Amino acid sequence: MAELVGLALALPPTIDLCLKYGRQLRALCANLRQADAQISERVIRLDNNWMLFTHKLDFLKRIQHLIEDDHREIWGQTLRILLSKLEIVTGIINRLVRPLPVFLEINHSLEVNARRGKYILVKKSLDKAIEELETWQQTTDQSWFLLMRIADSQVDLALQTPTNLDAIDDKPHSNTATAIPSTVAIRASRMQDSTYGSSSEAGLTFDAAELSKMFIQQVAFSQISIAQRLYGNGQVGVYILNQITCEPAAKYQLIKKDARDLARKLQHNDPHTFGLLACKGVAVPLSTPTKGRHDRTTAPPMLTMVFRQPVHTTGIPNSLRYVLSHTAPPQTLSLRFDYAKQLARSVSYVHTFGFVHKNIRPESILVFTSTKSGLPSQSLFLVGFENFRREDGSTQRLGDDTLERNLYRHSSRQGASPNEDYIMQHDIYSLGVCLLEIGFWKSFIRYHPQTGQALPTEILPVSPHPDIKQVNHFLHTRGREFLLHLARNELPQYMGTRYAEIVETCLTCLDPDNQDFGDEREFQDEDGIRVGVRYIEKVVLRLNQLCV
């Protein structure tokens, strides 16, 4: 497209071109509404998608002057991709809606056959248009929601301003906040005032004794439990329980406050977008630990985060650890790519909501079977919020020597007394180890069937029954280098060079000479957006570009 020359950072002209092609596409599709029921259904679906995109593009145009150059460049790239897709699809449908030649209209039988063949092409073209637009939306969701972290009142004003639909229809024009409720969920999670409703946490906590009314079973190879409760009306509620051990006990009130804050932020209704389950609340014990009363002989107090089972899923989920240990490798790479993309998305949204996770490993990832077309056959959700904290919260520098955790920690965060404060890059490193296991479809850890002790599998160059000190010494001194060796020399033959390079980027994100993440000073912006933008650019977008 010649019109795109020089628009790399000039977002408004690019947005205007997207809207222009979108209006053309909608106008063409309007001519197909009466074709048949299947085509009409597709047109309505395409119409609804485009209305959401119009809200997004109009909002982006309003606040584009607030976006930093790196984030702006990502938007420039993704908008140019959208433009190319719109131009291609518009051209295809434009050819399909042209009138039939006169000689066909004269011969009725030929006309019927020609229109039937034409409608088949129309359906395929509409399916392609819908798929292309929905893929683009999924690709840009992380960048879109990252805009909600901009601490400027102009963002709130733009969310509440009626969208300029530019004569798309005659209906009253809604605003972005109304059209895309999940936007409000993200924005509200970043705000301390009542712009988007009460900031009260009333109703987010309930008596932990309520859990005794549930039938609870442990998810294999995970710290997560599944709970079922039969209500008086005969309905069965299914919940996911995530226990949090409050250590040190002296920090109980602070940990409870952070847990309620996380529960408030996860009061969304779109788990498949975020890869994070919707939270019902936090179960707390009635008796509150008193400062100074806890000692080493007393069990530390517990909190339980209660999540809702995601819609459009069925059955009991498995942990990713179980899947990697007990299921055969998929015959194609599609499922591995799906797993990687979904997990990277979940990590992105943890930080968009303003937290660091600190416990990303296969035990903290649940795999559900999806029941709705349009979703991946298996949906991943990141749980395991045991050691999380707010990004701006203080870090306790508390750790442990367990193999199943240390393997996913950078060497600077291993052991009982980590050397460095926890930042987002530590989560990115943990993601890299998980992506490595997904790529090989092999678990690096196994659990002893009698004792439950975590042991290394054959892929790690240590004794299968090692002394814990031996394992920790290996992880601390040579663990990262060995994982890098796997990513550089063995992973490409399983997953291809580009996937392996993404894993390497994650595993080296804390290295001073890493050009993408190495200089921490580059990411010390007030809103915490820069590191998120770099993560989207170097990990999320590159994963989304992979296909079989």
mmCIF file of all heavy atoms in Angstrom, residues 56 137-146 149 182 186 189 262 265-266 268 270-276 342-355 382 385 391 424 535-536 540:
data_model
loop_
_atom_site.group_PDB
_atom_site.id
_atom_site.type_symbol
_atom_site.label_atom_id
_atom_site.label_comp_id
_atom_site.label_asym_id
_atom_site.label_seq_id
_atom_site.Cartn_x
_atom_site.Cartn_y
_atom_site.Cartn_z
ATOM 1 N N LYS A 56 -12.127 0.507 19.605
ATOM 2 C CA LYS A 56 -10.705 0.478 19.956
ATOM 3 C C LYS A 56 -9.908 1.510 19.161
ATOM 4 O O LYS A 56 -9.073 2.244 19.706
ATOM 5 C CB LYS A 56 -10.130 -0.926 19.715
ATOM 6 C CG LYS A 56 -10.555 -1.965 20.728
ATOM 7 C CD LYS A 56 -9.810 -3.272 20.495
ATOM 8 C CE LYS A 56 -10.138 -4.308 21.554
ATOM 9 N NZ LYS A 56 -9.366 -5.549 21.388
ATOM 10 N N GLN A 137 -7.252 -9.339 16.554
ATOM 11 C CA GLN A 137 -7.682 -8.872 17.870
ATOM 12 C C GLN A 137 -6.923 -9.581 18.978
ATOM 13 O O GLN A 137 -6.458 -8.951 19.935
ATOM 14 C CB GLN A 137 -9.183 -9.115 18.040
ATOM 15 C CG GLN A 137 -9.694 -8.758 19.430
ATOM 16 C CD GLN A 137 -11.183 -8.953 19.558
ATOM 17 O OE1 GLN A 137 -11.954 -8.132 19.115
ATOM 18 N NE2 GLN A 137 -11.584 -10.057 20.166
ATOM 19 N N GLN A 138 -6.782 -10.908 18.868
ATOM 20 C CA GLN A 138 -6.057 -11.658 19.884
ATOM 21 C C GLN A 138 -4.595 -11.220 19.956
ATOM 22 O O GLN A 138 -3.995 -11.171 21.031
ATOM 23 C CB GLN A 138 -6.152 -13.158 19.594
ATOM 24 C CG GLN A 138 -7.559 -13.713 19.715
ATOM 25 C CD GLN A 138 -7.707 -15.091 19.104
ATOM 26 O OE1 GLN A 138 -6.734 -15.695 18.665
ATOM 27 N NE2 GLN A 138 -8.927 -15.604 19.063
ATOM 28 N N THR A 139 -4.033 -10.892 18.795
ATOM 29 C CA THR A 139 -2.633 -10.463 18.742
ATOM 30 C C THR A 139 -2.436 -9.125 19.424
ATOM 31 O O THR A 139 -1.392 -8.884 20.043
ATOM 32 C CB THR A 139 -2.159 -10.386 17.278
ATOM 33 O OG1 THR A 139 -2.297 -11.677 16.674
ATOM 34 C CG2 THR A 139 -0.704 -9.938 17.186
ATOM 35 N N THR A 140 -3.428 -8.251 19.327
ATOM 36 C CA THR A 140 -3.269 -6.887 19.841
ATOM 37 C C THR A 140 -3.856 -6.684 21.226
ATOM 38 O O THR A 140 -3.684 -5.603 21.809
ATOM 39 C CB THR A 140 -3.928 -5.871 18.883
ATOM 40 O OG1 THR A 140 -5.323 -6.193 18.761
ATOM 41 C CG2 THR A 140 -3.280 -5.914 17.518
ATOM 42 N N ASP A 141 -4.540 -7.701 21.771
ATOM 43 C CA ASP A 141 -5.201 -7.520 23.070
ATOM 44 C C ASP A 141 -4.230 -7.046 24.147
ATOM 45 O O ASP A 141 -4.552 -6.150 24.933
ATOM 46 C CB ASP A 141 -5.870 -8.821 23.514
ATOM 47 C CG ASP A 141 -7.314 -8.914 23.033
ATOM 48 O OD1 ASP A 141 -7.858 -7.901 22.561
ATOM 49 O OD2 ASP A 141 -7.889 -10.015 23.108
ATOM 50 N N GLN A 142 -3.027 -7.667 24.207
ATOM 51 C CA GLN A 142 -2.089 -7.289 25.259
ATOM 52 C C GLN A 142 -1.667 -5.824 25.135
ATOM 53 O O GLN A 142 -1.591 -5.098 26.135
ATOM 54 C CB GLN A 142 -0.850 -8.195 25.235
ATOM 55 C CG GLN A 142 -1.085 -9.570 25.815
ATOM 56 C CD GLN A 142 -1.512 -10.565 24.761
ATOM 57 O OE1 GLN A 142 -1.880 -10.197 23.654
ATOM 58 N NE2 GLN A 142 -1.456 -11.840 25.080
ATOM 59 N N SER A 143 -1.395 -5.373 23.911
ATOM 60 C CA SER A 143 -1.027 -3.962 23.708
ATOM 61 C C SER A 143 -2.191 -3.047 24.048
ATOM 62 O O SER A 143 -2.003 -1.952 24.590
ATOM 63 C CB SER A 143 -0.593 -3.735 22.254
ATOM 64 O OG SER A 143 0.628 -4.375 21.980
ATOM 65 N N TRP A 144 -3.397 -3.490 23.714
ATOM 66 C CA TRP A 144 -4.586 -2.693 23.987
ATOM 67 C C TRP A 144 -4.774 -2.496 25.487
ATOM 68 O O TRP A 144 -4.938 -1.374 25.980
ATOM 69 C CB TRP A 144 -5.801 -3.379 23.371
ATOM 70 C CG TRP A 144 -7.120 -2.899 23.899
ATOM 71 C CD1 TRP A 144 -7.949 -3.551 24.738
ATOM 72 C CD2 TRP A 144 -7.758 -1.645 23.615
ATOM 73 N NE1 TRP A 144 -9.063 -2.803 25.008
ATOM 74 C CE2 TRP A 144 -8.967 -1.624 24.329
ATOM 75 C CE3 TRP A 144 -7.415 -0.549 22.835
ATOM 76 C CZ2 TRP A 144 -9.838 -0.547 24.287
ATOM 77 C CZ3 TRP A 144 -8.291 0.534 22.797
ATOM 78 C CH2 TRP A 144 -9.480 0.524 23.509
ATOM 79 N N PHE A 145 -4.757 -3.587 26.246
ATOM 80 C CA PHE A 145 -4.997 -3.476 27.675
ATOM 81 C C PHE A 145 -3.837 -2.780 28.398
ATOM 82 O O PHE A 145 -4.037 -2.202 29.469
ATOM 83 C CB PHE A 145 -5.258 -4.861 28.277
ATOM 84 C CG PHE A 145 -6.602 -5.416 27.923
ATOM 85 C CD1 PHE A 145 -6.711 -6.570 27.156
ATOM 86 C CD2 PHE A 145 -7.763 -4.786 28.330
ATOM 87 C CE1 PHE A 145 -7.956 -7.079 26.816
ATOM 88 C CE2 PHE A 145 -9.011 -5.288 28.000
ATOM 89 C CZ PHE A 145 -9.111 -6.436 27.241
ATOM 90 N N LEU A 146 -2.655 -2.831 27.814
ATOM 91 C CA LEU A 146 -1.526 -2.127 28.421
ATOM 92 C C LEU A 146 -1.756 -0.619 28.403
ATOM 93 O O LEU A 146 -1.214 0.111 29.248
ATOM 94 C CB LEU A 146 -0.233 -2.487 27.679
ATOM 95 C CG LEU A 146 1.088 -2.273 28.423
ATOM 96 C CD1 LEU A 146 1.107 -3.049 29.735
ATOM 97 C CD2 LEU A 146 2.260 -2.698 27.552
ATOM 98 N N ARG A 149 -2.878 1.167 31.599
ATOM 99 C CA ARG A 149 -1.949 1.454 32.698
ATOM 100 C C ARG A 149 -1.445 2.889 32.658
ATOM 101 O O ARG A 149 -0.766 3.333 33.587
ATOM 102 C CB ARG A 149 -0.753 0.495 32.641
ATOM 103 C CG ARG A 149 -1.110 -0.941 32.938
ATOM 104 C CD ARG A 149 0.117 -1.793 33.157
ATOM 105 N NE ARG A 149 0.922 -1.313 34.266
ATOM 106 C CZ ARG A 149 1.676 -2.081 35.051
ATOM 107 N NH1 ARG A 149 1.688 -3.372 34.848
ATOM 108 N NH2 ARG A 149 2.394 -1.575 36.012
ATOM 109 N N SER A 182 -14.329 -5.425 29.676
ATOM 110 C CA SER A 182 -13.048 -5.903 30.206
ATOM 111 C C SER A 182 -12.019 -4.778 30.284
ATOM 112 O O SER A 182 -11.087 -4.828 31.095
ATOM 113 C CB SER A 182 -12.506 -7.049 29.347
ATOM 114 O OG SER A 182 -12.496 -6.702 27.975
ATOM 115 N N ILE A 186 -9.608 -3.782 33.696
ATOM 116 C CA ILE A 186 -8.181 -3.485 33.753
ATOM 117 C C ILE A 186 -7.947 -2.092 34.303
ATOM 118 O O ILE A 186 -7.106 -1.883 35.195
ATOM 119 C CB ILE A 186 -7.544 -3.602 32.350
ATOM 120 C CG1 ILE A 186 -7.575 -5.057 31.863
ATOM 121 C CG2 ILE A 186 -6.115 -3.078 32.363
ATOM 122 C CD1 ILE A 186 -6.571 -5.952 32.503
ATOM 123 N N SER A 189 -8.507 -1.751 37.969
ATOM 124 C CA SER A 189 -7.479 -2.410 38.777
ATOM 125 C C SER A 189 -6.271 -1.521 38.994
ATOM 126 O O SER A 189 -5.465 -1.761 39.892
ATOM 127 C CB SER A 189 -7.038 -3.715 38.093
ATOM 128 O OG SER A 189 -6.195 -3.458 36.976
ATOM 129 N N LEU A 262 -5.853 -8.472 44.824
ATOM 130 C CA LEU A 262 -5.802 -9.309 43.632
ATOM 131 C C LEU A 262 -7.198 -9.842 43.299
ATOM 132 O O LEU A 262 -7.607 -9.859 42.131
ATOM 133 C CB LEU A 262 -4.834 -10.471 43.839
ATOM 134 C CG LEU A 262 -4.721 -11.466 42.670
ATOM 135 C CD1 LEU A 262 -4.224 -10.763 41.411
ATOM 136 C CD2 LEU A 262 -3.780 -12.613 43.037
ATOM 137 N N LYS A 265 -9.163 -7.202 41.604
ATOM 138 C CA LYS A 265 -8.723 -6.965 40.226
ATOM 139 C C LYS A 265 -9.130 -8.089 39.289
ATOM 140 O O LYS A 265 -9.262 -7.875 38.084
ATOM 141 C CB LYS A 265 -7.202 -6.779 40.198
ATOM 142 C CG LYS A 265 -6.757 -5.495 40.899
ATOM 143 C CD LYS A 265 -5.255 -5.315 40.877
ATOM 144 C CE LYS A 265 -4.859 -3.974 41.531
ATOM 145 N NZ LYS A 265 -3.418 -3.716 41.447
ATOM 146 N N LEU A 266 -9.341 -9.271 39.844
ATOM 147 C CA LEU A 266 -9.733 -10.403 39.007
ATOM 148 C C LEU A 266 -11.242 -10.626 39.030
ATOM 149 O O LEU A 266 -11.719 -11.716 38.762
ATOM 150 C CB LEU A 266 -8.997 -11.670 39.463
ATOM 151 C CG LEU A 266 -7.473 -11.644 39.277
ATOM 152 C CD1 LEU A 266 -6.860 -12.969 39.724
ATOM 153 C CD2 LEU A 266 -7.087 -11.340 37.839
ATOM 154 N N HIS A 268 -13.398 -10.139 36.897
ATOM 155 C CA HIS A 268 -13.750 -9.976 35.488
ATOM 156 C C HIS A 268 -14.601 -11.152 35.037
ATOM 157 O O HIS A 268 -14.762 -12.134 35.750
ATOM 158 C CB HIS A 268 -12.486 -9.872 34.627
ATOM 159 C CG HIS A 268 -11.606 -11.084 34.710
ATOM 160 N ND1 HIS A 268 -11.887 -12.254 34.050
ATOM 161 C CD2 HIS A 268 -10.449 -11.320 35.400
ATOM 162 C CE1 HIS A 268 -10.954 -13.153 34.318
ATOM 163 N NE2 HIS A 268 -10.065 -12.625 35.142
ATOM 164 N N ASP A 270 -14.092 -12.510 31.806
ATOM 165 C CA ASP A 270 -13.489 -12.857 30.521
ATOM 166 C C ASP A 270 -12.213 -13.672 30.714
ATOM 167 O O ASP A 270 -11.130 -13.265 30.292
ATOM 168 C CB ASP A 270 -13.184 -11.572 29.756
ATOM 169 C CG ASP A 270 -13.208 -11.775 28.251
ATOM 170 O OD1 ASP A 270 -13.340 -12.939 27.823
ATOM 171 O OD2 ASP A 270 -13.085 -10.789 27.512
ATOM 172 N N PRO A 271 -12.310 -14.836 31.373
ATOM 173 C CA PRO A 271 -11.097 -15.604 31.678
ATOM 174 C C PRO A 271 -10.336 -16.051 30.438
ATOM 175 O O PRO A 271 -9.109 -16.160 30.465
ATOM 176 C CB PRO A 271 -11.621 -16.803 32.477
ATOM 177 C CG PRO A 271 -13.063 -16.926 32.096
ATOM 178 C CD PRO A 271 -13.529 -15.526 31.855
ATOM 179 N N HIS A 272 -11.039 -16.318 29.332
ATOM 180 C CA HIS A 272 -10.356 -16.806 28.136
ATOM 181 C C HIS A 272 -9.553 -15.695 27.453
ATOM 182 O O HIS A 272 -8.613 -15.989 26.713
ATOM 183 C CB HIS A 272 -11.368 -17.404 27.153
ATOM 184 C CG HIS A 272 -11.972 -18.685 27.629
ATOM 185 N ND1 HIS A 272 -11.312 -19.893 27.550
ATOM 186 C CD2 HIS A 272 -13.168 -18.954 28.209
ATOM 187 C CE1 HIS A 272 -12.083 -20.852 28.045
ATOM 188 N NE2 HIS A 272 -13.205 -20.314 28.456
ATOM 189 N N THR A 273 -9.917 -14.441 27.686
ATOM 190 C CA THR A 273 -9.118 -13.334 27.155
ATOM 191 C C THR A 273 -7.842 -13.159 27.946
ATOM 192 O O THR A 273 -6.754 -12.995 27.379
ATOM 193 C CB THR A 273 -9.927 -12.024 27.185
ATOM 194 O OG1 THR A 273 -10.991 -12.106 26.243
ATOM 195 C CG2 THR A 273 -9.046 -10.827 26.822
ATOM 196 N N PHE A 274 -7.955 -13.217 29.269
ATOM 197 C CA PHE A 274 -6.817 -12.929 30.132
ATOM 198 C C PHE A 274 -5.968 -14.151 30.469
ATOM 199 O O PHE A 274 -4.821 -14.008 30.892
ATOM 200 C CB PHE A 274 -7.294 -12.284 31.441
ATOM 201 C CG PHE A 274 -8.032 -10.994 31.239
ATOM 202 C CD1 PHE A 274 -9.257 -10.773 31.829
ATOM 203 C CD2 PHE A 274 -7.492 -9.987 30.458
ATOM 204 C CE1 PHE A 274 -9.945 -9.581 31.654
ATOM 205 C CE2 PHE A 274 -8.166 -8.789 30.270
ATOM 206 C CZ PHE A 274 -9.396 -8.578 30.871
ATOM 207 N N GLY A 275 -6.530 -15.359 30.322
ATOM 208 C CA GLY A 275 -5.792 -16.540 30.761
ATOM 209 C C GLY A 275 -5.668 -16.586 32.268
ATOM 210 O O GLY A 275 -4.820 -17.288 32.822
ATOM 211 N N LEU A 276 -6.531 -15.836 32.958
ATOM 212 C CA LEU A 276 -6.567 -15.779 34.417
ATOM 213 C C LEU A 276 -8.013 -16.007 34.843
ATOM 214 O O LEU A 276 -8.938 -15.395 34.297
ATOM 215 C CB LEU A 276 -6.080 -14.415 34.929
ATOM 216 C CG LEU A 276 -4.658 -14.013 34.525
ATOM 217 C CD1 LEU A 276 -4.382 -12.564 34.927
ATOM 218 C CD2 LEU A 276 -3.633 -14.934 35.184
ATOM 219 N N GLN A 342 -0.748 -19.193 24.916
ATOM 220 C CA GLN A 342 -1.681 -18.946 26.016
ATOM 221 C C GLN A 342 -0.940 -18.624 27.311
ATOM 222 O O GLN A 342 -1.336 -17.719 28.064
ATOM 223 C CB GLN A 342 -2.585 -20.154 26.214
ATOM 224 C CG GLN A 342 -3.573 -20.378 25.085
ATOM 225 C CD GLN A 342 -4.505 -21.541 25.391
ATOM 226 O OE1 GLN A 342 -5.272 -21.520 26.360
ATOM 227 N NE2 GLN A 342 -4.434 -22.588 24.588
ATOM 228 N N LEU A 343 0.131 -19.347 27.593
ATOM 229 C CA LEU A 343 0.874 -19.098 28.825
ATOM 230 C C LEU A 343 1.547 -17.731 28.789
ATOM 231 O O LEU A 343 1.525 -16.989 29.788
ATOM 232 C CB LEU A 343 1.920 -20.203 29.028
ATOM 233 C CG LEU A 343 2.762 -20.104 30.307
ATOM 234 C CD1 LEU A 343 1.878 -20.004 31.538
ATOM 235 C CD2 LEU A 343 3.701 -21.300 30.410
ATOM 236 N N ALA A 344 2.135 -17.367 27.655
ATOM 237 C CA ALA A 344 2.760 -16.044 27.530
ATOM 238 C C ALA A 344 1.722 -14.947 27.717
ATOM 239 O O ALA A 344 2.007 -13.898 28.321
ATOM 240 C CB ALA A 344 3.435 -15.912 26.164
ATOM 241 N N ARG A 345 0.518 -15.169 27.200
ATOM 242 C CA ARG A 345 -0.561 -14.197 27.385
ATOM 243 C C ARG A 345 -0.917 -14.047 28.864
ATOM 244 O O ARG A 345 -1.093 -12.928 29.372
ATOM 245 C CB ARG A 345 -1.783 -14.661 26.592
ATOM 246 C CG ARG A 345 -3.046 -13.839 26.814
ATOM 247 C CD ARG A 345 -4.278 -14.648 26.446
ATOM 248 N NE ARG A 345 -4.393 -15.852 27.268
ATOM 249 C CZ ARG A 345 -5.264 -16.828 27.041
ATOM 250 N NH1 ARG A 345 -6.063 -16.765 26.005
ATOM 251 N NH2 ARG A 345 -5.314 -17.883 27.845
ATOM 252 N N SER A 346 -1.032 -15.165 29.590
ATOM 253 C CA SER A 346 -1.375 -15.110 31.010
ATOM 254 C C SER A 346 -0.344 -14.310 31.795
ATOM 255 O O SER A 346 -0.693 -13.489 32.649
ATOM 256 C CB SER A 346 -1.479 -16.528 31.585
ATOM 257 O OG SER A 346 -2.496 -17.279 30.944
ATOM 258 N N VAL A 347 0.930 -14.556 31.517
ATOM 259 C CA VAL A 347 2.003 -13.830 32.207
ATOM 260 C C VAL A 347 1.886 -12.339 31.925
ATOM 261 O O VAL A 347 2.049 -11.498 32.818
ATOM 262 C CB VAL A 347 3.383 -14.368 31.772
ATOM 263 C CG1 VAL A 347 4.504 -13.509 32.346
ATOM 264 C CG2 VAL A 347 3.546 -15.816 32.207
ATOM 265 N N SER A 348 1.564 -11.993 30.691
ATOM 266 C CA SER A 348 1.408 -10.590 30.323
ATOM 267 C C SER A 348 0.331 -9.920 31.158
ATOM 268 O O SER A 348 0.512 -8.806 31.677
ATOM 269 C CB SER A 348 1.070 -10.475 28.831
ATOM 270 O OG SER A 348 0.847 -9.126 28.452
ATOM 271 N N TYR A 349 -0.795 -10.607 31.329
ATOM 272 C CA TYR A 349 -1.912 -9.983 32.034
ATOM 273 C C TYR A 349 -1.700 -9.927 33.541
ATOM 274 O O TYR A 349 -2.247 -9.036 34.206
ATOM 275 C CB TYR A 349 -3.217 -10.698 31.693
ATOM 276 C CG TYR A 349 -3.733 -10.324 30.323
ATOM 277 C CD1 TYR A 349 -4.003 -11.290 29.366
ATOM 278 C CD2 TYR A 349 -3.926 -8.988 29.982
ATOM 279 C CE1 TYR A 349 -4.457 -10.949 28.109
ATOM 280 C CE2 TYR A 349 -4.383 -8.630 28.722
ATOM 281 C CZ TYR A 349 -4.640 -9.615 27.795
ATOM 282 O OH TYR A 349 -5.086 -9.259 26.546
ATOM 283 N N VAL A 350 -0.933 -10.851 34.108
ATOM 284 C CA VAL A 350 -0.589 -10.727 35.523
ATOM 285 C C VAL A 350 0.059 -9.368 35.771
ATOM 286 O O VAL A 350 -0.268 -8.653 36.735
ATOM 287 C CB VAL A 350 0.353 -11.869 35.976
ATOM 288 C CG1 VAL A 350 0.981 -11.544 37.332
ATOM 289 C CG2 VAL A 350 -0.405 -13.183 36.063
ATOM 290 N N HIS A 351 0.945 -8.981 34.881
ATOM 291 C CA HIS A 351 1.643 -7.703 35.044
ATOM 292 C C HIS A 351 0.775 -6.521 34.647
ATOM 293 O O HIS A 351 0.898 -5.438 35.224
ATOM 294 C CB HIS A 351 2.953 -7.739 34.261
ATOM 295 C CG HIS A 351 3.903 -8.777 34.777
ATOM 296 N ND1 HIS A 351 4.722 -8.562 35.858
ATOM 297 C CD2 HIS A 351 4.132 -10.055 34.391
ATOM 298 C CE1 HIS A 351 5.425 -9.653 36.105
ATOM 299 N NE2 HIS A 351 5.086 -10.585 35.235
ATOM 300 N N THR A 352 -0.117 -6.726 33.677
ATOM 301 C CA THR A 352 -1.050 -5.661 33.334
ATOM 302 C C THR A 352 -1.945 -5.331 34.525
ATOM 303 O O THR A 352 -2.297 -4.170 34.757
ATOM 304 C CB THR A 352 -1.917 -6.072 32.127
ATOM 305 O OG1 THR A 352 -1.067 -6.331 31.007
ATOM 306 C CG2 THR A 352 -2.900 -4.973 31.748
ATOM 307 N N PHE A 353 -2.306 -6.355 35.309
ATOM 308 C CA PHE A 353 -3.110 -6.137 36.507
ATOM 309 C C PHE A 353 -2.279 -5.590 37.666
ATOM 310 O O PHE A 353 -2.831 -5.284 38.724
ATOM 311 C CB PHE A 353 -3.785 -7.439 36.931
ATOM 312 C CG PHE A 353 -5.070 -7.736 36.207
ATOM 313 C CD1 PHE A 353 -5.133 -8.750 35.268
ATOM 314 C CD2 PHE A 353 -6.206 -6.999 36.457
ATOM 315 C CE1 PHE A 353 -6.316 -9.032 34.597
ATOM 316 C CE2 PHE A 353 -7.394 -7.272 35.795
ATOM 317 C CZ PHE A 353 -7.453 -8.285 34.854
ATOM 318 N N GLY A 354 -0.966 -5.484 37.491
ATOM 319 C CA GLY A 354 -0.137 -4.825 38.492
ATOM 320 C C GLY A 354 0.490 -5.737 39.520
ATOM 321 O O GLY A 354 0.744 -5.306 40.656
ATOM 322 N N PHE A 355 0.768 -6.998 39.155
ATOM 323 C CA PHE A 355 1.384 -7.935 40.091
ATOM 324 C C PHE A 355 2.586 -8.618 39.443
ATOM 325 O O PHE A 355 2.699 -8.668 38.223
ATOM 326 C CB PHE A 355 0.385 -9.019 40.513
ATOM 327 C CG PHE A 355 -0.629 -8.559 41.518
ATOM 328 C CD1 PHE A 355 -1.790 -7.921 41.101
ATOM 329 C CD2 PHE A 355 -0.426 -8.732 42.876
ATOM 330 C CE1 PHE A 355 -2.733 -7.484 42.017
ATOM 331 C CE2 PHE A 355 -1.361 -8.294 43.798
ATOM 332 C CZ PHE A 355 -2.516 -7.666 43.368
ATOM 333 N N LEU A 382 -3.297 -19.568 34.332
ATOM 334 C CA LEU A 382 -2.227 -19.441 35.313
ATOM 335 C C LEU A 382 -2.832 -19.216 36.689
ATOM 336 O O LEU A 382 -3.617 -18.289 36.906
ATOM 337 C CB LEU A 382 -1.313 -18.267 34.934
ATOM 338 C CG LEU A 382 -0.095 -18.016 35.824
ATOM 339 C CD1 LEU A 382 0.818 -19.234 35.861
ATOM 340 C CD2 LEU A 382 0.673 -16.793 35.321
ATOM 341 N N PHE A 385 -1.121 -18.582 42.886
ATOM 342 C CA PHE A 385 -0.770 -17.299 43.501
ATOM 343 C C PHE A 385 -0.429 -17.522 44.971
ATOM 344 O O PHE A 385 -1.221 -17.255 45.870
ATOM 345 C CB PHE A 385 -1.933 -16.315 43.365
ATOM 346 C CG PHE A 385 -2.255 -15.946 41.948
ATOM 347 C CD1 PHE A 385 -3.268 -16.595 41.264
ATOM 348 C CD2 PHE A 385 -1.535 -14.960 41.294
ATOM 349 C CE1 PHE A 385 -3.567 -16.261 39.953
ATOM 350 C CE2 PHE A 385 -1.827 -14.624 39.981
ATOM 351 C CZ PHE A 385 -2.846 -15.275 39.311
ATOM 352 N N GLU A 391 3.407 -5.071 42.159
ATOM 353 C CA GLU A 391 4.675 -4.627 41.566
ATOM 354 C C GLU A 391 5.364 -3.580 42.425
ATOM 355 O O GLU A 391 6.593 -3.548 42.517
ATOM 356 C CB GLU A 391 4.411 -4.043 40.169
ATOM 357 C CG GLU A 391 4.143 -5.084 39.116
ATOM 358 C CD GLU A 391 3.880 -4.440 37.774
ATOM 359 O OE1 GLU A 391 3.312 -3.339 37.730
ATOM 360 O OE2 GLU A 391 4.246 -5.058 36.757
ATOM 361 N N MET A 424 9.659 -8.096 37.114
ATOM 362 C CA MET A 424 8.927 -8.817 36.076
ATOM 363 C C MET A 424 9.829 -9.767 35.297
ATOM 364 O O MET A 424 9.410 -10.852 34.894
ATOM 365 C CB MET A 424 8.275 -7.832 35.108
ATOM 366 C CG MET A 424 7.509 -8.516 33.974
ATOM 367 S SD MET A 424 6.746 -7.371 32.809
ATOM 368 C CE MET A 424 5.974 -8.527 31.652
ATOM 369 N N TYR A 535 8.169 -6.840 26.497
ATOM 370 C CA TYR A 535 7.756 -8.247 26.598
ATOM 371 C C TYR A 535 6.788 -8.610 25.469
ATOM 372 O O TYR A 535 6.923 -9.660 24.836
ATOM 373 C CB TYR A 535 7.100 -8.490 27.956
ATOM 374 C CG TYR A 535 6.469 -9.859 28.111
ATOM 375 C CD1 TYR A 535 7.259 -10.992 28.273
ATOM 376 C CD2 TYR A 535 5.087 -10.012 28.097
ATOM 377 C CE1 TYR A 535 6.687 -12.245 28.419
ATOM 378 C CE2 TYR A 535 4.508 -11.260 28.239
ATOM 379 C CZ TYR A 535 5.307 -12.375 28.403
ATOM 380 O OH TYR A 535 4.728 -13.605 28.537
ATOM 381 N N ILE A 536 5.838 -7.739 25.209
ATOM 382 C CA ILE A 536 4.884 -7.986 24.113
ATOM 383 C C ILE A 536 5.628 -8.077 22.787
ATOM 384 O O ILE A 536 5.375 -8.970 21.969
ATOM 385 C CB ILE A 536 3.820 -6.876 24.078
ATOM 386 C CG1 ILE A 536 2.897 -6.988 25.295
ATOM 387 C CG2 ILE A 536 3.003 -6.947 22.785
ATOM 388 C CD1 ILE A 536 1.965 -5.808 25.462
ATOM 389 N N VAL A 540 5.508 -12.065 23.147
ATOM 390 C CA VAL A 540 4.120 -12.343 22.778
ATOM 391 C C VAL A 540 3.901 -12.270 21.269
ATOM 392 O O VAL A 540 3.373 -13.213 20.648
ATOM 393 C CB VAL A 540 3.163 -11.380 23.510
ATOM 394 C CG1 VAL A 540 1.727 -11.597 23.035
ATOM 395 C CG2 VAL A 540 3.250 -11.575 25.020
#
